[in-house]
Amino acid sequence: MDRPPANSSAVERGEVPEVAELGNTLTGLFNTLGVSQRAYAVRVTLDPSVVSRYLRGQRVATEDFVDRLIREVEARLGTPLQEAARARVRDQRLAALRATDPALHELETVRQEAAHARRTVARLGREQDALHDRMDRLEAELAAANTELEQQRTDWARDQTAARRRELELRAAAERDRGAREALEAELARLRAHLADLTALRADAESRCRALEDRVLGLEEELGALRAGRGGPEEEPGLPVAVMLDRVSAHLVAGELREVTRALDAAAWERPADELVRILAWLVEMGARHRAEWMVGLVCEYRSLDVVAELGSRLPALGREAALDRELLSHLMRTGTPQDLARLHAAWSTAQDGHRGAGLLTEAVRTAKGADLAALLALVDDAGATVHAVHKASRRDFQPRRLFGLARRLSEQGHEALAAAVLTALVDLTKSEPGGAAAFVQAFGALVPSRRADLGDRIVAVATPPRMLLLLDALYGLRNGERVADELLARVRDAEGALPALLAEAREAYPPNEPETASELRELLLLTYVRSEL
């Protein structure tokens, strides 16, 4: 049964449970300060009786009072409060406002939406700046590619009287560089189009922010006119899930989609994970999977990480046909910080949920931004999990250039073991994945010379002789892979102790041949390829 808003007398007598609960929470925070209420009243410039009523649950504390108290507690403890504790205080205050002053509660909610819109504008601005930086880097790479292409043309013109094979090699190199240049130009055009879309989205977000701010002003004016007493009954707190679903079903039948949205939105904000799973199962059963995915997105964006972690652990209970894991992971990749994702990985990396933690890392390798992915892997700091995630993510879409960049970022940040894990997985995938060697050659050839040399040294440093031999075998087995294989073999020859170990591995792998030099090994691998072609 719905309950009317509590009057001020009931609040002053401490008879409103929501206000009393808020007062108890604030009292617990206040007690950590070790000061008297009178002294604290002087500090915050309030009457002692007002502070006393706030703490006894006889008046709803203002947002400024709550925020000041939290800052004082954090200063006293020397560490910030956990986000879950902050969220609990905010939720209790909103519940108290809903019980005593619904119009003010609606105003506070709209203010939060406006703040979220402003944060969205700021985030889009940051993404716009990042795209500008990316375009600058691509233009620099394009200029380098043009310079290298012109150099290749000059070399070809000067050596046109050389052997036919040399001529064919130079032509192939020029074609590869031209392809890389065209790819960079296409990427630059795509980024420019994306920047235009992003600018439009930012304009839309700013427009919505202005509209919400205007709505806040309007609601503030309405609040002043409605202070004397108003409003219909509020929904009963603690409504059982079954009753709530019956009401949602009735709204659906009646075509009251706005009420359905309001009820599901409230559930996503307030219900515990076990009840959320029941609601999601019901929505999927009713054929409203899109609403279930929408609720999962709300939970990921606005609820605490503890709730998200528990929801992720309970989702398998819905069964394979109703699995919402992909929506959960996809939304986390869009909205979660590397720190949030690392905490979720730790929560899901138990004996029961270990596959879920591995799935999170796999999705990150597949879709997360390069900087965020490197930060996440550094926080997790598990080379074995990194290798597993790279292997699993690349079974659908092997992207050597993305893995090149990831290894370079990790190495630059001092995480050499993780960078080695990424490159080890990359070498294995080049040999094992269909089309892996061709993708490796294309990505490696698109790099500027300094990056190719650095990457070649890194691969030689982390690849064992058997892995290195398999990689060279795969590259020499491609008609256009000979140049890349020659570059890697040159890096092996320059690395201390690497060539003797590789030659020993080759003598064991290709009896009765006994190559003694890098040139003999090259001819052996090319001959093996030619024989396989014949």
Side-chain angles (χ1 to χ4, degrees):
M1 182 175 182
D2 294 335
R3 188 179 71 188
N7 56 45
S8 59
S9 298
V11 175
E12 288 290 337
R13 293 193 300 271
E15 296 175 354
V16 181
E18 293 86 351
V19 182
E21 183 181 9
L22 175 61
N24 290 336
T25 299
L26 295 179
T27 298
L29 291 172
F30 176 82
N31 288 339
T32 65
L33 298 179
V35 298
S36 67
Q37 294 182 10
R38 184 175 301 277
Y40 187 75
V42 172
R43 183 186 301 178
V44 297
T45 320
L46 289 176
D47 190 272
S49 63
V50 174
V51 175
S52 177
R53 289 190 180 95
Y54 286 165
L55 298 181
R56 292 204 306 267
Q58 294 177 344
R59 181 180 293 182
V60 179
T62 65
E63 185 177 8
D64 289 341
F65 179 87
V66 173
D67 291 342
R68 176 67 181 270
L69 180 57
I70 289 176
R71 290 196 301 272
E72 292 285 345
V73 170
E74 289 176 337
R76 174 72 174 177
L77 297 178
T79 182
L81 289 180
Q82 293 184 357
E83 184 57 32
R86 285 176 169 268
R88 184 171 65 254
V89 176
R90 288 196 299 268
D91 291 345
Q92 288 177 352
R93 183 173 179 275
L94 288 177
L97 285 177
R98 187 167 55 245
T100 60
D101 198 341
L104 184 56
H105 171 263
E106 182 180 1
L107 174 61
E108 291 282 352
T109 302
V110 173
R111 280 175 174 162
Q112 290 186 5
E113 290 180 3
H116 177 68
R118 286 192 291 272
R119 289 194 298 274
T120 300
V121 170
R123 176 174 57 80
L124 290 174
R126 290 192 299 273
E127 291 185 11
Q128 187 179 30
D129 293 340
L131 279 174
H132 279 300
D133 293 341
R134 174 62 175 162
M135 287 171 61
D136 291 342
R137 289 195 299 272
L138 284 177
E139 287 172 348
E141 290 185 15
L142 179 59
N146 283 331
T147 301
E148 187 174 2
L149 177 60
E150 291 303 318
Q151 183 62 44
Q152 293 288 351
R153 287 172 174 166
T154 301
D155 292 344
W156 177 77
R158 186 178 62 247
D159 300 332
Q160 59 183 332
T161 58
R164 178 61 178 168
R165 180 177 180 181
R166 177 59 178 165
E167 179 182 351
L168 292 176
E169 287 178 352
L170 288 172
R171 286 180 182 272
E175 287 299 322
R176 283 196 300 273
D177 288 342
R178 185 180 296 111
R181 174 188 172 187
E182 292 172 354
L184 285 173
E185 289 176 339
E187 176 70 5
L188 189 59
R190 186 188 69 80
L191 286 175
R192 284 175 175 154
H194 185 46
L195 178 60
D197 293 342
L198 193 61
T199 302
L201 284 174
R202 181 179 181 180
D204 290 343
E206 289 174 341
S207 176
R208 174 170 170 75
C209 182
R210 288 192 295 270
L212 285 170
E213 289 172 346
D214 291 341
R215 187 178 173 196
V216 167
L217 293 175
L219 285 173
E220 287 174 340
E221 293 177 1
E222 288 184 30
L223 181 62
L226 297 175
R227 280 288 187 183
R230 75 266 167 214
E234 295 287 328
E235 185 177 274
E236 179 184 353
L239 192 68
V241 176
V243 177
M244 175 260 186
L245 292 178
D246 287 342
R247 293 184 182 179
V248 172
S249 179
H251 289 315
L252 282 172
V253 172
E256 299 168 342
L257 299 183
R258 184 173 181 179
E259 295 301 320
V260 172
T261 300
R262 286 167 61 92
L264 296 178
D265 181 88
W269 275 83
E270 299 173 1
R271 298 279 178 172
D274 57 335
E275 295 184 3
L276 287 173
V277 170
R278 288 181 59 188
I279 295 170
L280 293 173
W282 181 83
L283 288 171
V284 172
E285 183 179 350
M286 295 293 290
R289 183 186 181 88
H290 64 288
R291 291 188 179 274
E293 293 175 348
W294 171 72
M295 280 193 69
V296 169
L298 286 180
V299 173
C300 290
E301 188 162 357
Y302 297 112
R303 298 296 294 275
S304 68
L305 286 181
D306 292 337
V307 174
V308 175
E310 187 177 355
L311 177 64
S313 297
R314 291 176 178 270
L315 279 181
L318 298 182
R320 175 177 292 274
E321 71 282 1
L324 297 170
D325 297 46
R326 174 52 62 87
E327 178 64 23
L328 176 72
L329 294 177
S330 176
H331 204 90
L332 287 172
M333 292 304 117
R334 294 194 300 270
T335 61
T337 65
Q339 292 77 13
D340 292 342
L341 298 178
R343 286 179 57 189
L344 289 172
H345 177 269
W348 287 339
S349 294
T350 62
Q352 181 177 358
D353 294 331
H355 68 285
R356 189 162 303 280
L360 184 144
L361 280 189
T362 299
E363 186 68 18
V365 172
R366 186 179 297 124
T367 63
K369 296 178 181 178
D372 290 342
L373 175 58
L376 171 59
L377 294 178
L379 289 169
V380 173
D381 196 18
D382 187 333
T386 298
V387 170
H388 177 80
V390 172
H391 271 280
K392 196 163 183 180
S394 300
R395 289 175 187 168
R396 294 185 184 178
D397 185 17
F398 182 37
Q399 302 180 52
R401 186 163 188 175
R402 175 175 170 82
L403 298 178
F404 292 163
L406 175 60
R408 179 173 54 82
R409 284 179 184 273
L410 290 169
S411 179
E412 289 173 350
Q413 295 169 10
H415 305 293
E416 295 294 346
L418 296 176
V422 172
L423 290 178
T424 298
L426 172 67
V427 170
D428 291 342
L429 290 163
T430 299
K431 179 66 176 178
S432 63
E433 281 298 301
F440 183 97
V441 169
Q442 182 179 9
F444 192 91
L447 297 176
V448 297
S450 60
R451 289 280 175 83
R452 287 204 302 268
D454 178 67
L455 178 61
D457 288 338
R458 293 181 186 278
I459 291 175
V460 170
V462 303
T464 60
R467 280 195 171 95
M468 197 68 210
L469 187 62
L470 288 174
L471 175 61
L472 291 173
D473 180 71
L475 297 179
Y476 278 122
L478 293 175
R479 295 186 184 278
N480 62 343
E482 185 175 339
R483 178 185 173 188
V484 173
D486 285 346
E487 285 192 45
L488 291 177
L489 189 55
R491 311 316 297 184
V492 172
R493 187 177 59 246
D494 295 340
E496 183 177 357
L499 182 59
L502 184 62
L503 292 173
E505 181 66 26
R507 287 192 290 270
E508 201 171 307
Y510 299 103
N513 300 284
E514 294 188 356
E516 297 294 338
T517 65
S519 298
E520 291 179 3
L521 176 59
R522 180 181 187 276
E523 294 302 322
L524 170 62
L525 294 176
L526 282 173
L527 182 61
T528 302
Y529 165 62
V530 170
R531 286 174 176 172
S532 66
E533 287 289 292
L534 294 176

